[in-house]
Amino acid sequence: MKTLAFLVVLTVVVLPAQAASTRNPRVRVPETVPFTVHGTGFAPRERVAVSVMVNTRRAHVVGANAAGTFTTTFPALKLETCVGYEVQARGSRGSRATWSVIPECPNGEPEPLMPRDPIPGKR
């Protein structure tokens, strides 16, 4: 009986503590029009400061739900082609996550649709 009681106490005390310590906050950007940030793994009901750095810094403060997730949008943020950005989320209980995008941009001019003549003026 003592062993059973010990196992019950162990389950009630250790497993929730282990689950909390293995939380892994993450942010991602599922959509860029409108610019949307989704976070998971934050503490339940944690206040989260979300900032996006493109050319300037834009920020929102949101609340994570009971499962530790949130979604927020930045409708005024319009990304141009081939622009990198960074998203940071910092929770009021110490949770932190970062998402960075560095696009691969083509160098120089785009390829012509039709091949050019090897010698201009000659056909």
Side-chain angles (χ1 to χ4, degrees):
M1 189 65 160
K2 287 182 182 181
T3 305
L4 180 60
F6 175 74
L7 290 175
V8 169
V9 169
L10 186 64
T11 302
V12 170
V13 173
V14 174
L15 290 181
Q18 182 181 4
S21 68
T22 60
R23 244 179 229 290
N24 193 9
R26 295 179 187 206
V27 289
R28 63 183 178 88
V29 178
E31 298 288 331
T32 56
V33 179
F35 196 90
T36 304
V37 178
H38 181 72
T40 59
F42 288 80
R45 310 267 185 237
E46 183 174 27
R47 300 291 295 161
V48 182
V50 181
S51 60
V52 179
M53 279 75 71
V54 180
N55 292 324
T56 61
R57 182 178 176 271
R58 293 158 179 89
H60 288 173
V61 176
V62 297
N65 63 17
T69 67
F70 68 85
T71 300
T72 187
T73 60
F74 294 79
L77 178 58
K78 309 288 187 224
L79 291 181
E80 294 184 25
T81 304
C82 213
V83 173
Y85 59 88
E86 181 176 88
V87 175
Q88 292 182 351
R90 296 178 183 213
S92 59
R93 298 183 194 158
S95 302
R96 289 183 174 203
T98 302
W99 174 272
S100 297
V101 171
I102 302 170
E104 291 185 28
C105 302
N107 292 333
E109 297 179 346
E111 290 292 321
L113 296 176
M114 299 293 291
R116 293 184 180 156
D117 291 333
I119 302 173
K122 299 254 181 178
R123 294 219 177 234

